[in-house]
Amino acid sequence: MFGDALGQDAAVRRWRVDITKAHPARVYDLFLGGTDNYPVDRAAAAAALAANPRGYLDIRHNRDFLRRAVTTLTAQDGIRQFLDVGTGLPTQENVHQIAQRISPDSRVVYVDNDPVVLAQVYTLLTNGSEGRTDYIDADLKQPARILEQAAKTLDFDQPVALVLAAVLHFVEDEEAYRAVRELVDALPSGSRLVLSHLTEDVNPEAIGAVRRTYTERGFTFVLRSKRDVERFFTEVGLVLEEPSVVPVHRWRPDGAAPSPEQADPAHLATLDAIEMIRFHDINDVTEADINIYAATGRKA
């Protein structure tokens, strides 16, 4: 499965990392408390946080949506295969950990194109006696390659959950809809699409300021409306599941969002805004704080 990708020498992987340009996966990981980043990533995260001081709620609620969606699909819908594209850096409660805790025979394939993610891949690849976890070094814009490689682990005659969590807003319209269409077309009946996406429908001023900080750093950053997000489902014939496309914290809330870490007040006083994020309670959220939609859909 991994071939040359996992056989690369660590020095080669480091050489592939462009530390002069921020990467979405590393910036996202920073908001989740990750440490695999570079000064340019911290600068991008700091600028985004300055533009929208409560923007971390989008990212952390997006992560909690992923927990709820994978739990629902595994425990209630019987899904045993997941294709997570744009997975980002390993963090707590990755897809395979959630799914295999419920059903040990679950199979999960992660896809990303960041060398730092590749360098951390062994953290994800914890195969149990029944299930399997694999990784593909590829871009969302390469659906044919993704499907070819994923077929070495996943059985495309059985339902697969395609996970596109907070990744499509980094892809321009034509390429984004094409990629989703080609990936969904390859999935059998009963498969699911799990999707979340940033929008300017709710708080355009704040999220618009965040977009400017990212586009200035060379990111593609497309904010789509609710109708545009629905199109990812309706254009490929997927049936939107309840509660349809909603703000991410409103997708089947279960009251089990993680509690904030605790720390001595003297220590907290030494932290910067990014370091403070993990000590904030994400349950302290208002409708105006959330700029990301979430939904799941089923292939008939």
Side-chain angles (χ1 to χ4, degrees), residues 228-240:
D228 292 335
V229 174
E230 290 172 344
R231 181 184 163 196
F232 283 112
F233 296 86
T234 58
E235 189 175 84
V236 293
L238 295 175
V239 178
L240 274 164

Side-chain angles (χ1 to χ4, degrees), residues 151-263:
K152 299 177 182 179
T153 300
L154 305 179
D155 178 0
F156 281 95
D157 290 327
Q158 299 297 321
V160 175
L162 171 62
V163 179
L164 298 172
V167 64
L168 287 166
H169 42 251
F170 295 115
V171 185
E172 295 287 1
D173 277 347
E174 183 177 342
E175 290 181 312
Y177 289 106
R178 175 190 61 82
V180 172
R181 182 174 61 252
E182 292 185 21
L183 290 170
V184 171
D185 282 349
L187 304 181
S189 175
S191 292
R192 302 299 203 279
L193 172 60
V194 178
L195 184 151
S196 58
H197 198 296
L198 283 169
T199 182
E200 59 184 347
D201 284 357
V202 180
N203 192 352
E205 183 175 347
I207 196 64
V210 172
R211 174 170 55 185
R212 286 192 293 275
T213 69
Y214 284 151
T215 55
E216 287 169 358
R217 288 164 172 80
F219 290 3
T220 296
F221 206 73
V222 183
L223 300 172
R224 295 186 171 94
S225 68
K226 183 176 183 179
R227 180 175 294 182
D228 292 335
V229 174
E230 290 172 344
R231 181 184 163 196
F232 283 112
F233 296 86
T234 58
E235 189 175 84
V236 293
L238 295 175
V239 178
L240 274 164
E241 299 179 304
E242 290 297 328
S244 192
V245 176
V246 295
V248 69
H249 65 309
R250 294 299 183 191
W251 193 93
R252 305 187 192 183
D254 60 3
S259 300
E261 294 185 31
Q262 301 298 313

Side-chain angles (χ1 to χ4, degrees), residues 27-33 45-46 49 52-57 59-60 259-261 268 271-282:
V27 175
Y28 183 92
D29 186 59
L30 260 168
F31 282 101
L32 294 174
L49 203 57
N52 183 14
R54 289 173 67 81
Y56 63 87
L57 288 166
I59 293 173
R60 294 188 59 198
S259 300
E261 294 185 31
L268 294 179
L271 305 180
D272 63 22
I274 296 174
E275 294 165 335
M276 277 293 297
I277 289 174
R278 68 182 187 273
F279 299 103
H280 294 312
D281 185 359
I282 70 170

Side-chain angles (χ1 to χ4, degrees), residues 73-90:
L73 292 178
T74 309
Q76 299 181 20
D77 299 334
I79 299 295
R80 297 292 179 265
Q81 302 188 108
F82 294 84
L83 178 58
D84 183 357
V85 184
T87 179
L89 285 153

